[in-house]
Amino acid sequence: MKNYTYPDQYGKFGIYGGKFVPETLIPALYELEEAYNNLKEDPSFIDEFNNLQKEYNGRPTPLTFASRLTEYYGKAKIYLKREDLCHTGAHKLNNAIGQISIAKKLGKERIIAETGAGQHGVATATVCAKFGLKCTIYMGEKDIERQKPNVFRMKLLGAEIIPVYSGSKTLKDATNEAIRDWVTNVKNTHYIIGSVVGPHPYPMLVRDFQSIIGKETKEQILLKEKKLPDYIVACVGGGSNAIGIFYPFINDREVKLIGVEAAGYGISTNKHCATLTLGAPGIFHGMLTYLLQDENGQVAEVHSISAGLDYPGVGPEHSFLKDINRVLYSSVTDEEALKAAYLLTKLEGILPALESAHAFAYLEKFIKETNSNEIIIVNLSGRGDKDLSTYMEKFKDKENELH
Amino acid sequence: MSYIKNYIENLNKNSRKALSIFLTAGFPSKNNFIEIARTVLTSGADILELGIPFSDPLADGPIIQTSSTIALKNNTTIKDVFYYTEKLSNSTNKPIILMGYANPIIRYNKNNFMKDAENAGAKGLIIPDVPLEEYDYFFNGCDTNLDIILLTTPTSSNERIKLIDEKSRGFVYCVSVTGTTGIKDYFTKETYENLKRTYSLIKKNKMMIGFGISKADDIINFSQYCDGVIVGSKIIKSILDGYNYEEIGNLISELSTACEMHGN
């Protein structure tokens, strides 16, 4: 494929995407799009963005050869893109840095965000502390319970946390409340969406900021191996880390791109969030995209052990990439993800976030078909410190299996 | 001419602003819903707006969210909404309008939805998450006599308001404040200025004001800037608070009286 130019001028990726939001927000979306289109050509904005990525976020992140994991499977060479080494522990800061700079240019005084695992909330609270803006984070009550360290970090950073008690009390509901806040306070507030979801221009904007992951990866692998990888694997919730690493490779057809969704207790149960695997196109959170829903079009209550993947929708660009068969989407269960996390920790000394563990679990499913001349890059989107309580709770059962 | 516009026009000619009452279909229970809707209609409402419950109603505040959750627990589906529409429209000539979010409608199938809604006797349709930008995508190929009602808000530019007026049929829904549905204690000077601005730009259609309205005084204060008002959360809250049919009827009568413009 050459000249991939999505989204189009209406913010659509094929039929997906768009601006399905109440009228109140439409002028703010145009304002954001215009500001972004001007700023992305502005040398001082680009300099500021690059400087913050380097000096504050710690970029470029390494591309680490996973020697013992490679030896363990005895097949393709495995490299890890180390987004876990970003400041605040995950890829989320890449986007928060870009959006806070736009918010400053727009003269907004107040920042709001939704968060699931808390990584995006922490990233947003971090840039608000750094730039001195007021910060409000919406977080589902269930996620507050399972991601306590991140809740405390956000408080330390000076953010106000608003617990959300509606619906499934997770990321979907936190997003609803953040949108309602934005509808109410749109004049002085910028909404930093944390993934490639929501109405246009967000899926494009977040993708562009996250694509720094893929750009670095491409340079690094060409330097180390003198060729492009054969496979890139990333987990997909809303899909920002996946788009971030995929996007610069979309025109390189020989590179196989694999997105891994959370199958929860299994895709034959109704406790999963494998949106692209089992959903159908629908309109949700301002976008037309694949959606887990019932026969009446009510949005499903989904499940994943990983709060960051626990979302019934997915970025509209992923829906498009699925339909045109550019990316293969698959899924792994909670159990498979946990097992992969313990394995990576033992063999490489890296404890991944539960979200990222889903990408590693997929290795089990396809690495046998690869050979030792091939290269796999796994996007290690975040570190697992925030998930220690879940890992501790589940470790007992796994300990024996691993020895 | 649009049935709804004509209906409001006739009320206005008789020195009355139209009173549209919003109810969430299937709330508080499937059994009580029809009786409440009938009470609302016989107590002085001119138009009935039936909300199709949705799991994630982005434009709604906590009160309507709660009613939507309850209606979904009662297993209220679009088929039930059409059943209510048919029952009610058989016994009144007052317009019945449907309000629903985009996803349940596309899941039902857009064309079938429009056809079945019309057959059930609905006269208009409001979809808050299909703005002007998505109008063509959403409604292209839908051959319908339903009046498609678009919304303006305080953030809409003059140009947009004119386009919204052009695309709408029946009336334009003027959202009084930035925010979600609910009950407002008071409205600011900016609100009135915006209502005045919007009303002066609406040429083709009637204009109804909604969001935040709960009292007779609100209606009296807004009356010079509109052809009618929409009240929702206040009624839903009274049902949540356990008002009986008579008390609901009294509340509607009070609001309805405020719509009479004689002597104003």
Side-chain angles (χ1 to χ4, degrees):
Chain A
M1 184 190 317
K2 285 286 170 215
N3 302 322
Y4 178 93
T5 55
Y6 297 95
D8 67 17
Q9 57 172 319
Y10 305 108
K12 304 256 168 148
F13 304 86
I15 62 163
Y16 301 106
K19 289 179 182 164
F20 293 90
V21 290
E23 167 70 15
T24 309
L25 295 180
I26 295 285
L29 295 174
Y30 280 119
E31 178 189 55
L32 180 60
E33 188 178 355
E34 198 193 326
Y36 173 64
N37 284 336
N38 292 334
L39 288 172
K40 72 177 179 189
E41 312 290 341
D42 179 345
S44 70
F45 178 80
I46 297 167
D47 277 355
E48 190 191 352
F49 179 79
N50 289 338
N51 190 51
L52 281 165
Q53 295 295 1
K54 179 165 178 261
E55 303 294 341
Y56 191 63
N57 197 6
R59 304 204 71 91
T61 58
L63 184 69
T64 306
F65 175 54
S67 56
R68 293 194 69 211
L69 192 64
T70 299
E71 197 181 310
Y72 173 86
Y73 284 117
K75 292 288 181 179
K77 287 175 88 170
I78 303 166
Y79 280 90
L80 317 176
K81 181 57 177 167
R82 302 294 305 280
E83 294 301 297
D84 61 315
L85 295 178
C86 285
H87 178 41
T88 74
H91 70 292
K92 293 294 184 188
L93 198 65
N94 302 338
N95 165 51
I97 285 175
Q99 287 205 47
I100 196 92
S101 305
I102 299 180
K104 290 279 277 187
K105 296 274 185 211
L106 288 173
K108 304 287 183 184
E109 302 147 11
R110 178 173 175 265
I111 299 294
I112 57 169
E114 83 295 338
T115 198
Q119 287 304 117
H120 175 56
V122 167
T124 303
T126 297
V127 292
C128 285
K130 169 106 181 124
F131 284 83
L133 290 178
K134 203 167 171 285
C135 179
T136 301
I137 305 289
Y138 289 89
M139 189 167 187
E141 191 201 13
K142 183 176 165 192
D143 293 338
I144 288 180
E145 195 50 46
R146 59 179 164 171
Q147 306 281 202
K148 278 185 185 143
N150 273 345
V151 175
F152 184 65
R153 282 169 83 191
M154 288 185 270
K155 282 186 185 155
L156 276 180
L157 289 159
E160 176 194 17
I161 320 289
I162 302 188
V164 176
Y165 300 101
S166 57
S168 50
K169 304 176 179 65
T170 59
L171 182 55
K172 156 180 104 82
D173 311 284
T175 307
N176 285 340
E177 280 314 310
I179 295 175
R180 289 182 184 120
D181 179 316
W182 202 34
V183 172
T184 309
N185 301 301
V186 63
K187 281 185 184 132
N188 71 348
T189 300
H190 176 67
Y191 176 18
I192 301 190
I193 292 186
S195 193
V196 285
V197 299
H200 180 65
Y202 282 105
M204 171 183 79
L205 194 99
V206 178
R207 173 197 70 192
D208 290 356
F209 291 142
Q210 290 294 359
S211 65
I212 195 167
I213 305 172
K215 282 181 208 149
E216 287 176 7
T217 303
K218 202 174 209 177
E219 280 175 25
Q220 290 165 324
I221 198 69
L222 285 173
L223 207 65
K224 286 176 200 282
E225 294 282 350
K226 313 281 181 285
K227 61 172 187 171
L228 292 176
D230 297 281
Y231 301 90
I232 299 177
V233 187
C235 65
V236 177
S240 71
N241 88 82
I243 279 287
I245 197 164
F246 292 166
Y247 184 62
F249 291 92
I250 281 184
N251 289 330
D252 304 310
R253 292 294 322 215
E254 68 274 26
V255 181
K256 295 177 193 71
L257 307 174
I258 301 167
V260 185
E261 298 190 297
Y265 295 130
I267 52 173
S268 56
T269 71
N270 60 1
K271 300 270 184 204
H272 63 78
C273 33
T275 307
L276 290 161
T277 311
L278 291 171
I283 293 173
F284 176 62
H285 287 164
M287 56 185 167
L288 178 67
T289 193
Y290 277 82
L291 178 64
L292 289 166
Q293 52 185 316
D294 70 11
E295 72 275 15
N296 295 312
Q298 307 297 343
V299 181
E301 294 201 354
V302 295
H303 163 81
S304 170
I305 193 169
S306 138
L309 303 181
D310 201 345
Y311 185 67
V314 66
E317 191 162 16
H318 286 292
S319 295
F320 178 64
L321 293 170
K322 173 192 162 76
D323 280 9
I324 63 168
N325 291 314
R326 178 62 190 97
V327 180
L328 170 75
Y329 294 92
S330 187
S331 63
V332 302
T333 63
D334 289 353
E335 282 298 307
E336 290 167 327
L338 280 168
K339 214 169 144 187
Y342 297 128
L343 184 71
L344 183 72
T345 309
K346 269 185 78 95
L347 292 180
E348 295 292 339
I350 300 171
L351 179 67
L354 277 166
E355 289 76 15
S356 322
H358 284 72
F360 285 95
Y362 190 73
L363 290 176
E364 244 354 281
K365 309 215 163 188
F366 86 107
I367 202 161
K368 287 190 191 78
E369 300 153 23
T370 67
N371 64 57
S372 56
N373 300 322
E374 292 185 304
I375 298 166
I376 301 170
I377 297 175
V378 183
N379 197 14
L380 179 39
S381 56
R383 67 179 88 128
D385 308 39
K386 69 183 175 63
D387 298 312
L388 274 176
S389 64
T390 307
Y391 284 135
M392 279 158 69
E393 189 188 312
K394 305 283 181 186
F395 187 63
K396 286 267 179 308
D397 326 332
K398 288 286 147 314
E399 213 174 3
N400 300 332
E401 288 176 38
L402 286 172
H403 284 282
Chain B
M1 190 179 176
S2 142
Y3 183 90
I4 299 172
K5 185 180 175 187
N6 196 35
Y7 196 88
I8 299 173
E9 181 74 43
N10 284 334
L11 294 170
N12 292 163
K13 274 184 191 152
N14 291 310
S15 304
R16 181 179 167 80
K17 301 296 176 185
L19 175 65
S20 177
I21 297 294
F22 172 93
L23 293 175
T24 302
F27 164 83
S29 70
K30 279 186 163 178
N31 289 338
N32 291 347
F33 176 74
I34 287 273
E35 204 47 46
I36 289 177
R38 289 212 164 105
T39 305
V40 164
L41 286 167
T42 54
S43 307
D46 300 302
I47 299 171
L48 188 64
E49 197 186 309
L50 292 191
I52 302 167
F54 182 46
S55 53
D56 297 82
L58 278 184
D60 287 304
I63 297 170
I64 294 180
Q65 282 176 50
T66 303
S67 68
S68 207
T69 306
I70 292 170
L72 288 176
K73 278 196 186 126
N74 298 336
N75 295 316
T76 310
T77 65
I78 287 177
K79 285 224 174 333
D80 296 313
V81 178
F82 291 152
Y83 169 77
Y84 298 141
T85 306
E86 194 169 351
K87 276 222 142 188
L88 293 164
S89 66
N90 280 340
S91 55
T92 181
N93 63 350
K94 295 179 176 181
I96 295 175
I97 296 167
L98 304 180
M99 196 300 274
Y101 289 86
N103 199 55
I105 294 173
I106 58 172
R107 189 72 182 178
Y108 187 91
N109 180 300
K110 275 186 284 192
N111 282 312
N112 293 345
F113 179 92
M114 310 285 170
K115 200 174 71 211
D116 294 351
E118 241 180 89
N119 288 339
K123 297 287 192 274
L125 174 63
I126 303 168
I127 309 180
D129 52 351
V130 177
L132 213 48
E133 277 62 20
E134 303 296 346
Y135 183 98
D136 289 340
Y137 164 79
F138 199 90
F139 293 106
N140 261 357
C142 291
D143 181 24
T144 178
N145 292 315
L146 291 176
D147 282 353
I148 306 299
I149 294 152
L150 296 176
L151 301 92
T152 67
T153 69
T155 61
S156 312
S157 66
N158 291 354
E159 286 314 302
R160 283 187 71 82
I161 292 173
K162 287 178 194 166
L163 283 171
I164 287 166
D165 187 29
E166 231 166 80
K167 285 273 189 191
S168 296
R169 276 201 320 243
F171 69 84
V172 168
Y173 190 135
C174 172
V175 175
S176 64
V177 290
T178 56
T180 51
T181 56
I183 295 171
K184 280 287 243 196
D185 292 337
Y186 64 93
F187 293 93
T188 62
K189 193 164 150 266
E190 287 75 33
T191 302
Y192 288 99
E193 276 162 13
N194 176 59
L195 297 176
K196 194 174 167 186
R197 170 185 76 114
T198 309
Y199 196 40
S200 74
L201 294 166
I202 305 293
K203 305 287 184 205
K204 187 185 121 191
N205 296 287
K206 290 287 170 182
M207 185 184 111
M208 305 272 290
I209 304 174
F211 281 42
I213 301 172
S214 65
K215 306 181 287 290
D217 276 354
D218 298 337
I219 298 174
I220 293 163
N221 293 338
F222 283 173
S223 61
Q224 56 177 312
Y225 308 122
C226 66
D227 303 306
V229 296
I230 303 159
V231 184
S233 295
K234 174 69 185 177
I235 315 301
I236 302 288
K237 182 164 189 308
S238 72
I239 299 169
L240 284 169
D241 289 347
Y243 277 35
N244 60 31
Y245 295 128
E246 194 188 335
E247 289 165 320
I248 294 167
N250 290 341
L251 175 63
I252 303 292
S253 307
E254 206 179 300
L255 297 170
S256 180
T257 307
C259 289
E260 296 294 338
M261 294 300 122
H262 301 292
N264 281 336

